[in-house]
Amino acid sequence: MVRFELFHKSLEQLQALIPILKANGVTAVNLTNKGRNEPLLESIRLLQKEMPGVDVCQHFSVKYQYQRSVEQTFSHFLSFCRTAGAAKILVVSGSGPRKGLDAVQCVERLAKLGPAPLGRVEVGVAFNPYFPDAEAMAEERRRLEAKLRTGTVAHLWLQFGSDVASLEKGLDFIAGLDPALTHNVRIIGSLFIPSPSLLARMRFRPWNGVFLSDRYLSAVPEADAIT
């Protein structure tokens, strides 16, 4: 199944995307969480109203959803997952310093609640195989194992990047894990649909944790060739 990741800052922007999604037969989408006070619940409900049967995976950034304490933030996470109406929730730590709760700790706490604490809602986590720094890459792998060890992960989302060799090493790492950790875990890759404006944006204001080569960013044909 092909999914489309949507970036919008308001319900009006999302509403404008819906005719495009319908015209192209899109049936599965991811909704990002890249800031505080974003209309997450409202966005899910708008999509479900306008596109009945749509498969929504809502991202939940612990950084941007942080409440006054670790306990309140985890309680907010549970409440959000149970009431959002999305079939899938992708929990991510968010960039920058962590405030005492991150994606690893979220799924670890979730595991302590017993089997199926969120009912039919599936929880996913992210993995970035593209870190150029060996120490950072080792830490990312350690964190992935910790997430999978909880037994609460239903899907694993691979970060987007342009280094094919790093992607292959990341996939080999996952394949080499204890099969008990990855049993029934779906692995989902990510592709960027390049355009001149998006490449320009990534050259001058790259997203944190997204590693793209100079060749990839040089022109759309080069980006297409790497993709």
Side-chain angles (χ1 to χ4, degrees), residues 11-52:
L11 291 177
E12 291 74 20
Q13 289 181 350
L14 179 59
Q15 183 73 63
L17 291 173
I18 289 175
I20 300 172
L21 299 176
K22 289 182 176 179
N24 287 277
V26 175
T27 59
V29 299
N30 280 41
L31 299 177
T32 60
N33 179 198
K34 293 187 176 295
R36 291 190 176 276
N37 303 316
E38 291 181 339
L40 305 186
L41 294 174
E42 297 84 354
S43 296
I44 295 170
R45 288 163 188 162
L46 175 60
L47 278 175
Q48 291 174 335
K49 176 184 176 182
E50 299 289 339
M51 301 174 63

Side-chain angles (χ1 to χ4, degrees), residues 28-167:
V29 299
N30 280 41
L31 299 177
T32 60
N33 179 198
K34 293 187 176 295
R36 291 190 176 276
N37 303 316
E38 291 181 339
L40 305 186
L41 294 174
E42 297 84 354
S43 296
I44 295 170
R45 288 163 188 162
L46 175 60
L47 278 175
Q48 291 174 335
K49 176 184 176 182
E50 299 289 339
M51 301 174 63
V54 66
D55 183 346
V56 177
C57 177
Q58 174 64 60
H59 298 195
F60 183 99
S61 169
V62 179
K63 173 183 177 180
Y64 293 124
Q65 295 298 320
Y66 196 84
Q67 307 298 300
R68 295 183 178 181
S69 68
V70 168
E71 294 299 331
Q72 288 184 20
T73 303
F74 183 65
S75 178
H76 171 56
F77 169 69
L78 291 178
S79 176
F80 182 87
C81 290
R82 290 166 175 164
T83 62
K88 301 175 179 66
I89 301 290
L90 170 58
V91 58
V92 297
S93 298
S95 60
R98 300 184 174 96
K99 297 182 179 180
L101 186 72
D102 60 13
V104 175
Q105 293 163 333
C106 259
V107 292
E108 287 177 340
R109 283 171 172 256
L110 195 61
K112 294 177 181 178
L113 299 180
L118 301 178
R120 295 186 178 182
V121 176
E122 296 180 351
V123 173
V125 296
F127 175 61
N128 188 343
Y130 297 103
F131 285 103
D133 179 75
E135 185 175 339
M137 190 68 259
E139 174 65 8
E140 181 72 358
R141 291 181 174 185
R142 184 197 67 77
R143 288 174 57 81
L144 173 60
E145 287 193 74
K147 294 171 186 176
L148 294 174
R149 232 178 271 122
T150 66
T152 63
V153 176
H155 31 92
L156 172 60
W157 301 79
L158 301 178
Q159 175 64 282
F160 163 71
S162 63
D163 187 343
V164 177
S166 292
L167 174 60

